[in-house]
Amino acid sequence: MGLWFLTAAIAGVLAGYVAALTAAPAGISAPNQTLPIYSHVFLEIGISTAIVALIMLATAPALTRVIQGESQSPQSPEGSPSL
């Protein structure tokens, strides 16, 4: 439950950061004048997401081995017949 609240808190902080980045300067209300601001921010978000995805793609096999408990040298489990 604590992790749920921590995730919600981090999401709130990130949402505030994105909102601050997309704030239009004073006096600009035309949508076509604010479009470059929004485009730039969402391009940065997309690039960041792509970088994280590539890092996860590269580390996924190692994480899978760690989660499954496999070591570097495979050993036969106790009690299993040897061939």
Side-chain angles (χ1 to χ4, degrees):
M1 191 71 179
L3 192 58
W4 178 269
F5 288 124
L6 179 64
T7 304
I10 292 172
V13 169
L14 289 176
Y17 177 69
V18 170
L21 286 176
T22 59
I28 295 179
S29 60
N32 56 351
Q33 291 179 341
T34 59
L35 185 61
I37 296 170
Y38 296 134
S39 297
H40 179 71
V41 170
F42 288 114
L43 176 67
E44 288 179 352
I45 291 171
I47 290 172
S48 301
T49 303
I51 290 170
V52 170
L54 289 174
I55 291 170
M56 291 307 298
L57 207 82
T59 59
L63 290 173
T64 302
R65 283 193 299 274
V66 169
I67 290 171
Q68 292 177 351
E70 296 177 7
S71 63
Q72 295 294 341
S73 59
Q75 300 173 353
S76 64
E78 292 182 22
S80 65
S82 300
L83 298 177

